[in-house]
Amino acid sequence: MTVPIAVAIAVLLALRLAGCGFHAEPTAVLSTSGRRIWEIGSRRGSVLGVVLIAWAVVVAVALLAGRGRAAWALARLAPLSLIYLPLACLAGAALEPSVDAERLLLGLGPPALALLTLAALGGYRALAVASAATVLAYTVDAIAGSPLSRLSLVGPNPAGGHRFYGIGNELEAILVVLILAGTGAALSVPVRFMRPRDTKGAPEGGRVQRRCAEVFIAVAAVLTFVFAYGAYGADVGAAISLPLGAVVAAALVAGRRRLALLAFVLPLPAVALLAAVDLATNAHSHLTAAVLQAERGGGALGVVGRRLRETGQSFGRPILLPGLPVVAVAALLAWTGRERLAAWLRGSPALAAGLAGALAATLVGTLANDSGALLLELGALYLLAFLAFAWAQETRVARRPSASPVARAQSTPCSERPKGAIERPARDP
């Protein structure tokens, strides 16, 4: 697994040397991007805010009108729509529509994509495809120099004094959850098992668990480089939270819970390696700028102390204050109902591991980022979306006739493959 990771990162570095990545000055970006870049701050409320409120109203009305019967359908449609929302924001950045047109694009586009995905695929396969589509879109854009991310309503806001390329804090919070939980969803796609006459050489269950762990590590390693490297995503938080979450997920899915504790020593070497690569390739990221500032007398401890102060101050921002009690209540309910959550995810250990890794990454990212409250609220929102989908999927499986061995086999994810079994794809309802 090490060789494919090294090859992928080498290809990404070769693209950087070939001229990919963004290196213009902020003033050049602001002067050449038209009116769109100056409207990002105001459109976040007038477009994104209105869309999310409209979705919440529609969900509430449907639940009241359906008296609970609509809960199962909404628990699948709403999470997929939320996952597709950043992808629709990228389309808005490319089209640069009017305010009303962008409201329609973001309000109707993600639910339409969600319905199509559910109709064509269904189940965890739909969840994995939606996550992969959104992550892949921003991966390609980051490698290309962020021409659309900086114009996206969930991207950085250059006109507001934020970075002028890369993914920014909002996207970091969302993408980390989509990468780790989406990988877990992909590894939880049901398969159909048939016993062969000769099972010699068939894979062991432990080998499958190790392969799942390797997938978590490989996906996170490559995407950490994309989203943290100074010439692409330029987000140092991704170098802290994403590897940590991936190791937690890999340790849990492999049944090595104690190894999950080793994840918390990864951020320091990961950041040091990232800084070395940035300096060696002249990537000019804000990470290396902070390192150089520390070397000039600011002091590394001073940089860390300033970051921690900014993290604390983010919890007092008026726009984020209303969401903090909601997150606190959701966390309390999740803790008191942890046995019920475990029951929802018992049939999908890879998704459970991915969610645990995403939770760990969100909590550490909250402490390590200067916009900690923002990362906490967005991370919690997307974690709840995946949990809602898992509840809907578990409810659907529980309603099926359980007497048939074939039905039981079709609901068995790859991470629970029985010894000596050969897998054949089955359509996930």
Side-chain angles (χ1 to χ4, degrees):
M1 185 62 69
T2 304
V3 174
I5 294 173
V7 170
I9 293 177
V11 170
L12 292 170
L13 281 172
L15 290 173
R16 159 73 174 94
L17 296 175
C20 291
F22 190 73
H23 307 288
E25 294 296 326
T27 53
V29 177
L30 294 176
S31 62
T32 59
S33 297
R35 294 180 54 187
R36 170 79 181 187
I37 205 165
W38 303 100
E39 298 174 351
I40 291 175
S42 61
R43 285 204 181 196
R44 285 180 172 175
S46 62
V47 175
L48 268 180
V50 169
V51 166
L52 291 176
I53 291 173
W55 283 2
V57 170
V58 170
V59 169
V61 170
L63 289 175
L64 291 175
R67 297 181 181 178
R69 291 191 298 269
W72 179 81
L74 290 172
R76 303 175 81 198
L77 181 62
L80 285 182
S81 300
L82 194 62
I83 291 172
Y84 275 128
L85 182 59
L87 183 62
C89 289
L90 211 59
L95 298 174
E96 298 191 21
S98 65
V99 171
D100 291 335
E102 192 160 17
R103 284 175 183 158
L104 289 175
L105 174 65
L106 301 191
L108 302 179
L113 286 174
L115 286 171
L116 289 174
T117 308
L118 286 171
L121 302 171
Y124 288 135
R125 189 177 285 109
L127 194 62
V129 167
S131 301
T134 300
V135 171
L136 182 60
Y138 280 96
T139 300
V140 173
D141 188 69
I143 294 173
S146 310
L148 297 179
S149 293
R150 66 173 178 265
L151 300 178
S152 168
L153 296 187
V154 294
N157 183 9
H162 301 157
R163 69 180 67 205
F164 59 96
Y165 77 108
I167 63 171
N169 296 326
E170 295 86 353
L171 282 173
E172 177 195 333
I174 296 170
L175 292 175
V176 165
V177 176
L178 294 188
I179 291 167
L180 295 172
T183 300
L187 294 172
S188 300
V189 172
V191 294
R192 179 182 290 117
F193 298 110
M194 294 184 65
R195 289 283 182 179
R197 295 180 180 178
D198 184 6
T199 59
K200 291 182 179 180
E204 301 283 345
R207 185 182 301 177
V208 174
Q209 291 177 335
R210 289 193 297 273
R211 288 290 177 86
C212 289
E214 290 172 357
V215 170
F216 275 115
I217 297 298
V219 170
V222 174
L223 293 179
T224 295
F225 182 82
V226 171
F227 293 126
Y229 179 46
Y232 294 152
D235 188 84
V236 63
I240 297 174
S241 57
L242 191 49
L244 184 147
V247 172
V248 169
L252 293 178
V253 80
R256 309 284 296 275
R257 293 179 177 271
R258 291 184 179 180
L259 289 180
L261 297 176
L262 295 178
F264 293 91
V265 304
L266 281 180
L268 286 178
V271 171
L273 180 60
L274 175 64
V277 174
D278 280 355
L279 289 170
T281 58
N282 200 26
H284 299 299
S285 71
H286 69 289
L287 168 62
T288 52
V291 171
L292 292 175
Q293 179 185 1
E295 291 178 352
R296 291 170 185 165
L301 291 179
V303 174
V304 173
R306 187 180 71 252
R307 286 283 180 174
L308 291 176
R309 286 195 302 272
E310 292 172 346
T311 299
Q313 292 170 358
S314 70
F315 284 84
R317 292 175 58 186
I319 194 172
L320 297 176
L321 281 176
L324 293 176
V326 178
V327 173
V329 171
L332 179 62
L333 292 175
W335 175 254
T336 56
R338 58 190 181 278
E339 293 183 359
R340 180 175 297 178
L341 296 182
W344 296 351
L345 297 166
R346 187 169 293 122
S348 307
L351 178 58
L355 287 171
L359 175 61
T362 298
L363 294 177
V364 171
T366 298
L367 296 175
N369 201 288
D370 54 2
S371 300
L374 177 66
L375 267 76
L376 179 63
E377 292 184 2
L378 286 176
L381 176 64
Y382 277 82
L383 284 169
L384 288 174
F386 276 86
L387 284 174
F389 197 99
W391 170 80
Q393 186 67 7
E394 175 64 22
T395 303
R396 176 63 178 265
V397 172
R399 288 176 177 175
R400 295 187 203 164
S402 58
S404 169
V406 174
R408 289 195 301 268
Q410 289 181 350
S411 63
T412 306
C414 65
S415 50
E416 287 191 331
R417 176 168 48 186
K419 180 178 178 181
I422 292 179
E423 62 178 75
R424 295 185 180 179
R427 191 176 186 276
D428 186 9

